[in-house]
Amino acid sequence: ERKAKDMKQWLDSQMPNYVEPIRHGSSDMAKFQEKAIKHGLPQVLLFTSKAKTSPLTKYLSTEFRRQILLGEVYPTKKNQEIMQMYGITTETLPALLVIPPSEEEEKEEDNKDSNNIIRYDGDGYT
């Protein structure tokens, strides 16, 4: 049948999605950082408690494609190290971090200490 709920689910599944999923811990994070450094893009990390990428996040990844690199970090056991690195807990989810590109193309650990990270807390963007 053609019900609004079914049509919305279909439309959501058809939306372009340029979000970089980070599910498997440091290996995915390293790939994400290398890609950001290679293209000179700011890194945007969305720490989410949701199992699937929301339509709003898909829209942002499409709207800002090639302007930012958007990564979605899921609260898995493998990602606990990443969450601890940025001071994120399951109680503070969702959280959004913006990490500007470094001019010297340093690794993420060096950027983290430079206080350039912009942090947004709350539930208004998931």
Side-chain angles (χ1 to χ4, degrees):
E1 292 183 42
R2 294 186 183 179
K3 296 186 178 185
K5 182 179 178 181
D6 296 331
M7 287 195 279
K8 181 186 180 315
Q9 286 179 340
W10 183 80
L11 286 172
D12 289 347
S13 71
Q14 299 301 309
M15 287 181 73
N17 184 3
Y18 300 103
V19 176
E20 299 287 329
I22 300 173
R23 297 181 192 271
H24 304 293
S26 58
S27 63
D28 283 353
M29 188 67 178
K31 291 176 189 174
F32 175 79
Q33 291 170 342
E34 288 172 14
K35 188 172 184 179
I37 289 170
K38 178 181 175 185
H39 298 291
L41 297 172
Q43 300 172 42
V44 179
L45 292 172
L46 174 61
F47 292 85
T48 183
S49 59
K50 311 266 185 194
K52 294 167 63 175
T53 303
S54 72
L56 177 60
T57 306
K58 289 180 181 183
Y59 167 76
L60 290 173
S61 74
T62 303
E63 183 69 21
F64 294 104
R65 186 176 182 207
R66 297 188 178 120
Q67 297 172 33
I68 63 169
L69 188 60
L70 181 60
E72 193 168 28
V73 182
Y74 301 93
T76 63
K77 288 183 181 180
K78 294 180 179 181
N79 285 342
Q80 290 302 314
E81 181 182 330
I82 297 168
M83 293 175 69
Q84 288 175 354
M85 182 183 354
Y86 293 107
I88 307 294
T89 63
T90 53
E91 291 80 30
T92 60
L93 294 177
L96 183 77
L97 300 178
V98 179
I99 306 164
S102 82
E103 296 176 13
E104 300 86 23
E105 296 187 355
E106 298 169 336
K107 289 291 183 189
E108 177 59 29
E109 293 82 22
D110 297 333
N111 282 341
K112 184 176 148 302
D113 295 332
S114 66
N115 294 328
N116 287 338
I117 297 175
I118 303 165
R119 182 178 176 145
Y120 300 96
D121 295 318
D123 59 357
Y125 45 80
T126 60

